[in-house]
């Protein structure tokens, strides 16, 4: 089977037709499904024959759970689901046990939760059972893992069928969701092999909560490496006013609030960055995974709000926890002053690092090369381009006003107060027409520096920009250095076209 999968992958890397590629993708999908089934049957046979032996190694329960959450996060967040993890920071998560089998159980429960949940969240809560429960000894502790979802739920009759080999709650749903009916049976037996058990609480249409326990050996008497980072983070956040923007009430907001409160922060929750008051020293923001009504990624819309918030509250810092599938989308914002970016589901270690970084002295606000605050008007339609260009100019120390509507931008320019305007396909008018209106509307605006952003240089839009009297033209892919040089260069500086490297023709000569 592994040979089939490997050879099929080699075929897909060759020059084949679209129809052949589709067939190869079906082979790959079916092979992967069959491989999982074969491995499950082998595991089941080993457990039932008493041949499954646990391999004990040192592990960190927090790391295992967070890695499992990251593994399924991409699929979950693409569906619009939130993933949250909570394990009390005061618990020593070091232990000794079979990390592969523990991960196998977690991934099975998490995969099922994502599979059967179409809206809402998946929440993983880990705790240690108290000694009075009779599960702890001098050499071991019992951890309890709860996986809660807001999915389709299970009826009382369906619960009775769980944990049985080749049994599924509703066979009519097998075609929709797939599965062999072995995962839970194997997971329960693996939990029992770890001197634990497994159970479920659920109601039809009201979500499910699967849980299991596992007895793990206590860690050896040695300094806990996590304790030092925790103490530093607690010292940094003690009494700090923190604003948390993490959607509506739910596991994500509650788990982050718990974590930050455990670090000593004074946490208040808000629904949007626009509601955050200036009394907060740090704002933790969690953009949702999805798109706006206009089809733009929500992360760009939220980053726009973060930038506006920081412009209004000069002493505040922002920590943005970006959904895993969209981490590449936020690269333009990483250079923004007073902004820290981490990936969600966030690891507790990253949360401590963010707390430490956010408590450091505020870096000086960058200034442009002329030592003054340049005010720039940005007229743009696309949320991503709008936020990216604004972030690039803010990194250079410019004050940027964003307007989507072309007519509104024209009126703002007439009122004065701006030293430059950047046009990137605004709503209502093509960019070249807006530029021409700016030039013709008032003789005092004839010298207004105007930069046009185009999708491709030397195209029709580029030509029309030059005919409209634009000062310079740059491609939408231009980087911070190119944009800031354009803004500075058209204000009387001598700019050599060689400075622009890839775009020697960017300036109208």
């Amino acid at each position: 089977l592994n040979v089939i999968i490997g050879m099929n992958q080699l075929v897909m890397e060759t020059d084949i037709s679209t129809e052949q590629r589709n067939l190869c993708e079906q082979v790959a999908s079916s092979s992967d499904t069959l491989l999982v089934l074969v491995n499950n049957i082998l595991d089941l046979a080993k457990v039932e024959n008493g041949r499954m032996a646990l391999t004990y190694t040192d592990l960190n329960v927090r790391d295992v759970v967070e890695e499992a959450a990251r593994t399924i996060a991409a699929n979950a967040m693409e569906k619009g689901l939130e993933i949250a993890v909570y394990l009390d920071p005061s618990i020593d998560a070091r232990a000794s046990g079979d990390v592969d089998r523990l991960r196998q159980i977690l991934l099975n429960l998490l995969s099922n939760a994502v599979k059967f949940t179409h809206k809402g969240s998946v929440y993983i809560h880990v705790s240690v059972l108290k000694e009075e429960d009779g599960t702890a000894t001098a050499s071991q502790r019992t951890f309890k893992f709860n996986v809660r979802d807001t999915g389709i739920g299970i009826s009382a009759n369906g619960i009775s069928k769980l944990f049985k080999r080749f049994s599924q709650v509703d066979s009519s749903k097998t075609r929709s969701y797939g599965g062999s009916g072995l995962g839970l049976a194997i997971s329960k037996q693996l939990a029992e092999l770890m001197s634990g058990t497994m159970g479920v609480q659920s109601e039809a249409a009201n979500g499910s909560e699967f849980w299991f326990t596992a007895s793990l050996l206590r860690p050896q008497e040695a300094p806990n490496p996590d304790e030092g980072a925790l103490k530093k983070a607690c010292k940094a956040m003690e009494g700090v006013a923190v604003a948390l923007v993490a959607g509506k009430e739910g596991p994500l907001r509650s788990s982050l609030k718990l974590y930050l409160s455990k670090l000593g922060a004074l946490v208040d929750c808000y629904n949007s960055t626009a509601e955050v008051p200036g009394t907060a020293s740090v704002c933790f923001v969690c953009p949702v995974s999805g798109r706006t009504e206009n089809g733009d990624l929500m992360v760009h819309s939220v980053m726009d709000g973060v930038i506006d918030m920081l412009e209004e509250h000069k002493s505040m810092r922002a920590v943005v926890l970006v959904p895993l599938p969209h981490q590449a989308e936020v690269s333009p914002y990483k250079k923004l002053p007073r902004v820290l970016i981490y990936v969600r589901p966030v690891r507790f270690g990253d949360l401590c690092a963010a707390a430490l970084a956010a408590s450091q002295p505020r870096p000086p606000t960058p200034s442009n090369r002329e030592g003054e605050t340049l005010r720039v008007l940005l007229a743009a339609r696309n949320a991503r381009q709008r936020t990216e260009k604004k972030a690039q100019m803010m990194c250079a120390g410019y004050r940027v006003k964003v307007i989507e509507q072309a007519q509104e931008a024209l009126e703002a320019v007439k009122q004065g107060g701006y030293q430059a305007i950047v046009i990137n396909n605004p709503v209502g008018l093509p960019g070249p027409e807006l530029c021409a209106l700016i030039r013709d509307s008032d003789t005092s605006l004839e010298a207004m520096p105007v930069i046009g952003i185009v999708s491709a240089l030397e195209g029709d839009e580029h030509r029309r920009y030059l005919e409209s009297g634009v000062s310079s033209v740059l491609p939408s892919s231009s980087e911070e250095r190119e944009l800031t040089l354009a803004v500075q260069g058209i204000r009387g500086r001598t700019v050599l076209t060689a400075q622009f490297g890839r775009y020697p023709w960017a300036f109208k000569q």
Side-chain angles (χ1 to χ4, degrees):
L1 189 55
N2 285 323
V3 172
I4 293 173
I5 294 174
M7 295 301 292
N8 186 65
Q9 184 62 39
L10 290 176
V11 172
M12 292 179 67
E13 293 175 1
T14 63
D15 186 15
I16 55 179
S17 66
T18 302
E19 182 180 0
Q20 291 169 328
R21 184 168 299 279
N22 290 336
L23 293 173
C24 286
E25 288 174 352
Q26 292 182 29
V27 171
S29 176
S30 300
S31 299
D32 290 340
T33 302
L34 183 57
L35 185 61
V36 171
L37 177 60
V38 170
N39 287 332
N40 283 340
I41 292 175
L42 292 175
D43 284 343
L44 185 64
K46 288 180 182 179
V47 172
E48 292 187 342
N49 292 330
R51 296 174 59 188
M52 177 72 76
L54 298 179
T55 302
Y56 284 82
T57 57
D58 292 338
L59 59 90
N60 187 302
V61 174
R62 189 185 307 278
D63 291 343
V64 175
V65 174
E66 289 176 347
E67 288 173 8
R70 285 277 180 107
T71 300
I72 57 93
N75 288 337
M77 290 178 169
E78 288 292 350
K79 293 178 64 175
L81 304 179
E82 279 296 349
I83 305 294
V85 177
Y86 184 76
L87 196 167
D88 193 321
S90 64
I91 294 176
D92 187 351
R94 295 175 301 158
S96 181
D98 194 321
V99 64
D100 292 329
R101 298 306 175 186
L102 183 61
R103 186 186 297 113
Q104 182 177 349
I105 300 174
L106 283 168
L107 287 176
N108 183 268
L109 296 184
L110 289 171
S111 297
N112 283 345
V114 172
K115 182 192 299 184
F116 295 105
T117 303
H118 304 293
K119 183 180 180 181
S121 61
V122 175
Y123 180 46
I124 309 106
H125 181 271
V126 185
S127 58
V128 175
L129 298 184
K130 298 179 180 179
E131 294 188 6
E132 51 263 32
D133 294 338
T135 59
T137 66
S139 61
Q140 66 181 23
R141 294 177 299 168
T142 299
F143 284 81
K144 185 175 183 181
F145 304 82
N146 295 66
V147 177
R148 186 187 313 152
D149 65 60
T150 56
I152 62 176
I154 308 170
S155 65
N157 181 54
I159 290 176
S160 64
K161 299 178 183 179
L162 292 175
F163 310 119
K164 295 180 180 179
R165 293 177 299 171
F166 300 104
S167 176
Q168 292 185 318
V169 172
D170 186 350
S171 58
S172 66
K173 295 180 180 178
T174 302
R175 293 186 182 90
S176 300
Y177 296 102
S180 61
L182 283 175
L184 287 176
I186 294 171
S187 295
K188 184 177 182 181
Q189 293 193 358
L190 288 176
E192 292 171 349
L193 201 60
M194 298 180 188
S195 302
T197 186
M198 180 176 286
V200 62
Q201 293 178 329
S202 182
E203 293 181 5
N206 286 323
S208 305
E209 182 172 0
F210 282 82
W211 60 268
F212 73 97
T213 57
S215 293
L216 304 174
L217 298 180
R218 292 181 181 272
Q220 297 179 352
E221 293 296 331
N224 185 358
D226 296 334
E227 191 173 345
L230 178 59
K231 287 182 177 179
K232 290 180 181 178
C234 288
K235 183 178 179 180
M237 296 301 288
E238 183 66 35
V240 174
V242 171
L244 176 61
V245 180
K248 299 179 181 179
E249 286 292 340
L252 177 64
R253 176 187 280 195
S254 61
S255 61
L256 285 174
K257 185 175 182 180
L258 270 174
Y259 273 138
L260 293 170
S261 297
K262 287 286 185 178
L263 294 179
L266 305 176
V267 186
D268 289 311
C269 297
Y270 303 91
N271 293 323
S272 70
T273 52
E275 300 177 6
V276 177
T279 52
S281 298
V282 184
C283 181
F284 284 77
V285 184
C286 298
V288 299
S289 180
R291 294 183 178 274
T292 64
E293 294 180 355
N294 297 330
D296 298 320
L297 285 173
M298 285 294 295
V299 66
H300 296 298
S301 176
V302 173
M303 287 305 302
D304 209 9
V306 169
I307 293 173
D308 290 340
M309 177 184 68
L310 295 180
E311 283 187 325
E312 181 178 357
H313 308 305
K314 302 298 183 182
S315 62
M316 187 184 296
R317 284 184 186 245
V319 179
V320 184
L321 307 178
V322 182
L324 181 65
H326 303 318
Q327 57 182 322
E329 300 289 336
V330 298
S331 56
Y333 315 121
K334 291 183 178 179
K335 293 182 180 180
L336 278 173
R338 297 184 286 137
V339 174
L340 300 167
I341 296 179
Y342 292 87
V343 174
R344 194 171 82 245
V346 63
R347 297 186 176 98
F348 181 66
D350 289 342
L351 206 58
C352 289
L356 282 171
S359 65
Q360 298 302 311
R362 186 165 66 90
T365 302
S367 60
N368 60 69
R369 294 188 295 180
E370 295 192 356
E372 61 183 77
T373 301
L374 181 68
R375 296 194 67 218
V376 181
L377 178 66
L378 172 61
R381 177 201 307 261
N382 181 272
R384 174 176 180 174
Q385 285 290 326
R386 185 172 65 235
T387 311
E388 283 185 6
K389 297 308 175 190
K390 182 176 182 179
Q392 289 175 349
M393 287 185 283
M394 283 187 65
C395 287
Y398 303 155
R399 293 179 60 188
V400 184
K401 172 70 174 178
V402 177
I403 295 179
E404 293 183 39
Q405 298 289 335
Q407 193 61 42
E408 186 180 346
L410 179 62
E411 294 301 321
V413 172
K414 289 180 180 180
Q415 291 175 10
Y418 297 101
Q419 287 78 49
I421 178 171
V422 178
I423 302 176
N424 187 1
N425 190 27
V427 177
L429 282 176
E433 290 188 24
L434 175 58
C435 178
L437 286 174
I438 292 173
R439 296 302 190 207
D440 298 339
S441 61
D442 192 326
T443 55
S444 64
L445 297 179
E446 291 180 357
M448 166 69 73
V450 180
I451 300 104
I453 305 294
V454 297
S455 57
L457 291 175
E458 297 189 324
D460 181 61
E461 187 181 18
H462 182 200
R463 177 186 56 77
R464 289 188 289 114
Y465 258 123
L466 297 180
E467 293 173 351
S468 69
V470 74
S471 306
S472 49
V473 182
L474 290 176
S476 57
S477 59
S478 59
E479 300 174 356
E480 175 191 336
R481 181 179 68 91
E482 296 163 322
L483 181 57
T484 54
L485 278 175
V487 173
Q488 294 169 352
I490 59 179
R491 298 182 65 239
R493 289 185 177 272
T494 302
V495 180
L496 300 177
T497 55
Q499 286 181 297
F500 290 87
R502 293 176 297 161
Y503 313 115
W505 56 86
F507 270 80
K508 176 185 177 183
Q509 299 300 320

